[in-house]
Structure formats: C-alpha cells, structure tokens
Amino acid sequence: MAEFQLFAYQEEVVERAVKGENIIIWLPTGGGKTRAAVYVAKKHLETTKNAKVVVLVNKVHLVDQHYSKEFQPHLGNKYSVMPVSGESEEKDFFGIVMQEKDVVICTAQILYNALIHAEEAKHVELSDITLLIIDECHHTQKESVYNKVMRCYVEKKLKGERPLPQILGLTASPGTGGEKILDKAVEHVLQVGFSRAIFRQSGVRESNRMLAQCAIHLRQYNDALLINDTLRMMDAYRSLEDFYTTKSSAAIDGTDFFLVGLFEENQVELRKLAMDARFENPKMAKLESTLLKQFGPDVQSRGILFSKTRKSTHCLNDWVLKNRALQEAGIKAAILTGAGSGITYMTQNEQADTIRNFRKGSLNLLISTSVAEEGLDIPECNLVVRYGLLTNEIAQQQASGRARARDSQYSVVAQEGGKEVRRERINEYLEELTGKAIDVVQKMGPQEFRTKIGELQTEAALRSKFAERCKTEKRSRYSASRVQLLCRNCFAPVASGNDMKLVDNAHYVNVNSEFKNHYKLGAQVVLKRNFEDWEPGHRIICNNGNCNMDWGYEIKYKKSALLPNIAIKNFALETPDGRMTVKQWKDIPFTVDDFSFTEYCEENFPDLFD
C-alpha cells in the first residue's frame, strides 16, 4: 500500500472524523479534501470490525477519477476497492458488490436505487455501510439524489433504527442556500450537514396553435438576443438560421409559412448587420484584452474560461480559433463540457483526453461550462475568467479556487453595473456569510448542536412526508382514462393516459398497439453504453401531415417487446378541466401503473401460452 501523510491543516480537519464523528470537511478547491477522505477511510478500515466504506459522487466521471487517483493507489493493496457507475455492469448486482468489497465508489443514484430496490442481488441497507463519504456535499438539498439518500438516513435515525453509518461530507463551500442573514445561513449549514413559457402554455391550453407557435418563435428570437448580448452578432444570427432551416422543412399550416417567411424576408438584412463590425459586442473586445494580458508567445500560461451554455462554449472556441491576436499569443484552446449523449455533449473519454492534453501543455485554455468548477482533476491555473455567468456563491468559490498558480488572476467579464457584476458582489458577501455561519456552528456546545440537528432533521422528515403526500394527491387528480395525450406541435390526439405504463421505474411506454399508427420511425438511436434489460431502437416522429414532431424513441425490452418510450414534454394533456403541459413525467396529474411483461406477452403473443 502506498503510504502517505497529510499536511498539518488536513490532520486538523480529519481529527474528529477519525474518532468516528459525523463531520463535514470544508477545504478550498485544491486543498486536498479527497486525500483527507482517503486517510479517514484507511483509519476506519483499520479500526472498525466488518468495515464497509461507500464513497458517493454526484457526477459519473468522478467515480473513475476518485478510484484511479486516490482510493485504489492508497487502499488497493490491502483492501478491495470497486468503482460502480451507470456505465458499469456491476450496477446490475450492486448488492453482491457491496457484500464482497471493502470500499465502493459510486454515483449517489446507484446507492439510492439499491436502497429502494426489492431484488436481493441489487438491494442494500444503510446498516450494511459503516462509513458513508459524500463528495461535494453542498448538493444535499431540495430534490437532489444526495438528499434522497440522506432522507433514508434521517428516517431511520428518527425511528431509532441502528446501526447507521458514520457520515463524512466533503465540500469547498457549503454556501448559504440562498439565505442572506446569519441565522438562516447557520440553519442552512446545519441542514447541509445533514414570461415566454407562459405564452406557449396558454396557446396549448386554448387549443390555439397559432399562439403556441408564435411563442416558440418569439423564444428563439429572445434566445438570439441573449446570445448577441454575450457573444458575436454572427453567433446570434446563426442560431436563428439553424432554427429556421429546420422549421422551413416542417411547416404544416399557414402559421408556420408566415413565421418562416417573416424571417426569410429579413434574412439578408440580418446577415448584413451581423457582419458589420460597428455593432460588434464590446464584451468580446474586453475578453480578448483579458486573455492577452496573461498569454503571449513566450509566456507559459494556463487558464479556464467559464461560460454558461454548451452552445456558448462552441461559439467562444470558434472565436478563439479565428482571432489572429489570440492565435499569435499562442492560445491553444479546447472545449470542456458535461458528459452525455447529445450532439453538444462530450463522452467521458473525450473529457479525459482534453484534461490530459491540458495537463501536459498541448492545450493551455479550457473553454468550459460549470463542469470544470468542481470535482474534475484539473491542474492549477494562473487565469480563471467567468464570462456572462450568473451563479451562486458556491460556484464562484469553486471557480476562483481553480486560480491557484503563483500570480494568478480571477476575472469577471461583464457590463459595468450589470446583473453579472451585482451577482458577483452578492456572492462575495454570501461567501463571507458562509464563513461566519460555519464559525457559529463550530462554536456550538455538543448538547446545543445535537438538539439543533435533531430539530432540523425532524422538520426535514415531516416536510418530506408532506411533500410526498402532495405529490400523491397531485398524481391522483384524474383517472388515467380521462386524460388524452395530444401532439405538442399539431395537437392531434394520439393516446389515452391509461395506455401508458412504467417500465423498471424509468421508461414511460405506450402499450396500446394502435399507437404505432400515429408515428413513423426516424434515425436509429445510438447510446454509448449498454443496459441490462433493454436496448434503444429508432426515434418515433409524429406522422400527422408534415408535423414531424419528435416524440421519443422505441426500446426493445427483454429482447422481444418493442415499446414506444415517449417524452411527456412533447405532448399536451387534455384533462376534464382543460389542457395543460408538463416538462417531466413526475408532474403529470394521473397515476401510471407499472408495466407487466407477462401481461404484455399474453395480450400480444397469446399463442405463447397455448
């Protein structure tokens, strides 16, 4: 086992954790939180009978990072360490993995699924764990998976159920939870321890396709204005051009033809304005000067440029590549965004390659979304720039913590007196307030601390139960048979609520064989991972005239049942009280029964039962 020592400040923050107490380690970005957690885990494994350590992370890429860079090198020679994520086969028998391994590093969703799963090979009890380490624990709030796991913990604690695991939280900033006064900020720290959309919905409700489509187009123009406020005029123009290229081929009535025509009538003038240097965004010039102060042909610099969206990172990267001054300064940039399956997402391997090239110097500027603010193993930088971002004090502290090199610079490029600058100043105040709140908590006596924590945990449990009751009541507002699903684009009625079934608590599928008459097949869906009981099929698209609304995609379940898996955001709901829309299935006003593979086969393949 590779021996390692902690710095004096790390030894101080882990002292109580080594004694078995529940604590949060609060160290700045780059301060060695993970190394301190490995040390606590090592001591726990050495001193606890039948020890079982689980490390929770909130992002898939952190599973392998923590495993390969910290826990396996320091614990792997003596203890069995296993990384488990949604992309690994071990998730399918997580309960067995937990029995066999000493240390398991997994996403919070994997553990939560195991806590509520009935199948023995997948089920885990909190009592099976002796030490639970929660990375980036400031995410333990609202409806996050971290909070769901901790609700399970609190419920068992309040019922007097034992044993329960020791809890170790890790964070660079617990934040204030949006609170701006000290008492409420203290309470948040303790708890961590443990108009255009309206238009579109109105159009849907009133069965007014013209209003709904106008709202969609207005939203696109509004998005273009937001892009223009932050990036180049040409980026704003291209966003409109891409949108109308798609819309022109999918027009189905006079409203569509009118709105597309309106853009095409003004397209030449818009492009001319976008190419006129007199109207260029002054923020881009300021960003250029900020970068040139740190980069030069003979200057060894390394920086991160944070931007709000994946699209804006692509636009900024294009700008850097085409900017002569930045290229002459030796800037070698690349994009770093979150992992996912969409066209603008990166794979985990692509993320790792980009960071590897950044570390060895073949890249010296990362243009990143918030994915680089926390967790990722990124070397120290001498320049961090936040460009066009409105965030909270946690994100600000995480980002500024990336500027750790000697003579480093942390910059915010925004309009003087604008909302971004005001937000940064508020964040500075909230960061100071966080420190004061933590100081108050640390000065509490043991009895006062336990009493306060008990009160907050009881309140949290009651709020959770009340929220669950409200959710159940909302889901029972209408019977499924009284709700119709309409295509969100053309308003054609295509399904009934009782046609829908829930597969494996994840996929909402339509089991009515007549539903296939309403859609046509599109491109094959390709996902970069395999699943235990299903595989993706083709996209399903509304075949009402020229509508072509994307509804979702087919899945092949248990290698036999071909089921249309639909996204509810692409439909309107016709209820007894009028039309409505929801973005997620959890918000629908009716109950969806679980899918029965046996019943499906009996109905669709009766000859199998002869």
Side-chain angles (χ1 to χ4, degrees):
M1 180 185 299
E3 290 297 328
F4 66 96
Q5 298 295 322
L6 299 181
F7 291 108
Y9 72 88
Q10 291 173 314
E11 291 180 347
E12 181 181 352
V13 298
V14 304
E15 182 180 356
R16 292 172 66 179
V18 170
K19 294 178 181 179
E21 296 182 35
N22 294 341
I23 72 161
I24 291 176
I25 292 178
W26 176 37
L27 288 174
T29 302
K33 297 182 295 297
T34 310
R35 180 63 57 86
V38 175
Y39 183 84
V40 173
K42 179 175 180 288
K43 294 299 182 182
H44 182 85
L45 289 162
E46 291 171 348
T47 59
T48 305
K49 185 178 179 181
N50 299 322
K52 190 76 64 178
V53 178
V54 172
V55 183
L56 295 187
V57 299
N58 65 320
K59 295 177 182 176
V60 173
H61 63 262
L62 295 179
V63 173
D64 183 65
Q65 178 175 301
H66 285 355
Y67 170 77
S68 59
K69 293 186 176 295
E70 295 289 353
F71 285 88
Q72 177 64 17
H74 294 297
L75 303 178
N77 287 347
K78 187 174 180 180
Y79 303 102
S80 56
V81 184
M82 174 65 74
V84 183
S85 72
E87 298 184 350
S88 59
E89 295 181 356
E90 286 79 10
K91 72 179 186 302
D92 297 326
F93 42 92
F94 188 71
I96 297 174
V97 171
M98 283 290 297
Q99 294 173 20
E100 296 179 348
K101 304 299 178 181
D102 300 311
V103 180
V104 176
I105 306 167
C106 64
T107 55
Q109 189 67 56
I110 294 289
L111 177 60
Y112 181 68
N113 290 347
L115 291 174
I116 63 175
H117 209 289
E119 187 178 333
E120 184 176 354
K122 298 183 179 181
H123 182 68
V124 170
E125 288 285 347
L126 278 174
S127 57
D128 299 333
I129 306 167
T130 56
L131 173 62
L132 183 61
I133 299 174
I134 305 177
D135 189 36
E136 308 293 356
C137 67
H138 51 270
H139 291 295
T140 310
Q141 52 183 313
K142 297 181 180 178
E143 291 304 309
S144 70
V145 183
Y146 274 178
N147 219 20
K148 292 178 181 178
V149 172
M150 290 310 296
R151 280 177 192 158
C152 295
Y153 175 93
V154 170
E155 287 174 6
K156 290 182 178 295
K157 178 183 176 183
L158 294 177
K159 292 177 182 177
E161 297 181 17
R162 299 292 188 275
L164 288 173
Q166 176 189 351
I167 305 294
L168 174 62
L170 311 176
T171 183
S173 174
T176 67
E179 303 294 349
K180 296 179 176 63
I181 59 175
L182 183 58
D183 288 349
K184 291 294 183 181
V186 169
E187 191 170 298
H188 170 76
V189 170
L190 289 168
Q191 287 172 327
V192 167
F194 297 94
S195 62
R196 54 190 183 266
I198 295 174
F199 277 130
R200 186 175 182 188
Q201 290 171 357
S202 175
V204 171
R205 285 196 301 268
E206 297 172 14
S207 306
N208 188 332
R209 186 176 187 278
M210 182 180 71
L211 180 57
Q213 289 301 308
C214 286
I216 293 172
H217 288 247
L218 283 172
R219 168 68 180 269
Q220 196 64 35
Y221 281 109
N222 185 74
D223 289 349
L225 288 172
L226 293 175
I227 293 172
N228 184 66
D229 184 57
T230 308
L231 303 166
R232 298 168 296 184
M233 287 187 68
M234 185 55 71
D235 296 320
Y237 168 78
R238 285 174 182 157
S239 72
L240 288 173
E241 188 176 53
D242 292 344
F243 174 76
Y244 279 103
T245 297
T246 302
K247 280 294 181 183
S248 63
S249 62
I252 62 176
D253 64 15
T255 298
D256 295 324
F257 290 114
F258 171 78
L259 293 171
V260 171
L262 197 62
F263 171 74
E264 292 177 344
E265 287 174 16
N266 296 279
Q267 187 172 3
V268 173
E269 184 66 19
L270 285 172
R271 183 175 179 83
K272 182 179 178 181
L273 289 170
M275 297 177 68
D276 193 326
R278 293 178 300 167
F279 304 119
E280 201 50 83
N281 189 342
K283 293 178 187 175
M284 301 296 288
K286 183 62 179 178
L287 177 59
E288 178 182 328
S289 67
T290 300
L291 293 172
L292 290 175
K293 286 178 183 177
Q294 289 287 337
F295 289 93
D298 301 317
V299 179
Q300 296 295 317
S301 290
R302 184 184 278 129
I304 303 179
L305 170 57
F306 286 104
S307 191
K308 184 175 183 180
T309 65
R310 290 186 298 275
K311 183 172 181 63
S312 65
T313 63
H314 285 266
C315 293
L316 286 169
N317 188 54
D318 181 69
W319 169 70
V320 170
L321 290 173
K322 293 178 179 177
N323 186 297
R324 180 179 297 178
L326 298 181
Q327 291 301 300
E328 291 176 350
I331 293 181
K332 300 178 289 269
I335 294 165
L336 181 64
T337 60
S341 57
I343 190 170
T344 57
Y345 286 90
M346 300 181 76
T347 65
Q348 282 184 261
N349 288 337
E350 288 170 339
Q351 281 185 338
D353 288 342
T354 299
I355 294 172
R356 189 181 304 111
N357 290 331
F358 187 63
R359 182 177 291 110
K360 69 183 184 182
S362 55
L363 297 173
N364 56 16
L365 179 66
L366 295 181
I367 304 175
S368 178
T369 55
S370 60
V371 69
E373 284 177 348
E374 62 183 33
L376 281 174
D377 185 23
I378 296 173
E380 62 185 23
C381 303
N382 60 306
L383 175 65
V384 171
V385 181
R386 295 174 69 78
Y387 186 70
L389 278 174
L390 275 174
T391 53
N392 58 24
E393 74 280 8
I394 296 175
Q396 183 196 50
Q397 193 168 351
Q398 298 274 16
S400 61
R402 291 296 183 190
R404 303 194 298 270
R406 184 187 299 273
D407 300 324
S408 61
Q409 177 183 347
Y410 171 73
S411 299
V412 178
V413 177
Q415 183 176 346
E416 181 63 36
K419 55 188 177 183
E420 296 96 339
V421 175
R422 295 197 300 272
R423 182 69 231 187
E424 286 289 319
R425 287 172 179 158
I426 291 173
N427 288 342
E428 291 172 1
Y429 163 72
L430 293 177
E431 185 178 335
E432 181 181 345
L433 188 62
T434 299
K436 291 180 179 178
I438 290 174
D439 187 53
V440 170
V441 172
Q442 289 177 330
K443 289 178 180 178
M444 286 183 179
Q447 185 59 45
E448 180 188 6
F449 180 81
R450 283 194 293 269
T451 300
K452 188 67 174 175
I453 285 290
E455 291 173 353
L456 290 172
Q457 288 179 338
T458 300
E459 291 175 10
L462 290 173
R463 283 198 304 270
S464 176
K465 290 178 180 178
F466 181 75
E468 192 61 35
R469 178 185 294 179
C470 292
K471 190 184 299 183
T472 301
E473 291 175 353
K474 181 180 179 181
R475 276 287 184 99
S476 305
R477 197 185 324 169
Y478 309 111
S479 65
S481 61
R482 300 185 68 195
V483 178
Q484 291 291 311
L485 276 67
L486 317 179
C487 174
R488 184 76 176 261
N489 188 46
C490 67
F491 293 155
V494 295
S496 169
N498 58 2
D499 294 335
M500 304 307 303
K501 302 297 178 188
L502 178 58
V503 176
D504 293 345
N505 204 36
H507 311 286
Y508 287 84
V509 301
N510 190 310
V511 296
N512 189 330
S513 59
E514 298 296 318
F515 183 61
K516 64 178 180 292
N517 298 325
H518 296 288
Y519 67 82
K520 57 188 176 184
L521 298 179
Q524 170 69 39
V525 174
V526 178
L527 301 179
K528 297 173 182 177
R529 50 184 282 205
N530 296 320
F531 301 90
E532 182 181 10
D533 287 326
W534 67 277
E535 59 188 71
H538 290 81
R539 301 214 70 84
I540 57 176
I541 300 167
C542 178
N543 68 0
N544 181 31
N546 200 31
C547 176
N548 295 318
M549 181 72 176
D550 191 325
W551 288 348
Y553 59 90
E554 290 183 328
I555 63 171
K556 181 178 285 188
Y557 186 65
K558 294 188 180 296
K559 301 187 183 299
S560 56
L562 198 58
L563 305 168
N565 173 42
I566 67 175
I568 195 61
K569 66 180 180 180
N570 298 328
F571 294 83
L573 304 179
E574 187 78 78
T575 75
D577 297 316
R579 287 187 185 174
M580 63 180 295
T581 59
V582 295
K583 292 183 179 180
Q584 296 178 300
W585 279 103
K586 67 180 180 65
D587 298 319
I588 60 174
F590 62 94
T591 301
V592 176
D593 295 331
D594 288 335
F595 174 78
S596 169
F597 182 66
T598 302
E599 290 179 7
Y600 176 84
C601 291
E602 286 177 347
E603 183 174 338
N604 292 273
F605 309 105
D607 56 302
L608 297 177
F609 296 86
D610 291 343

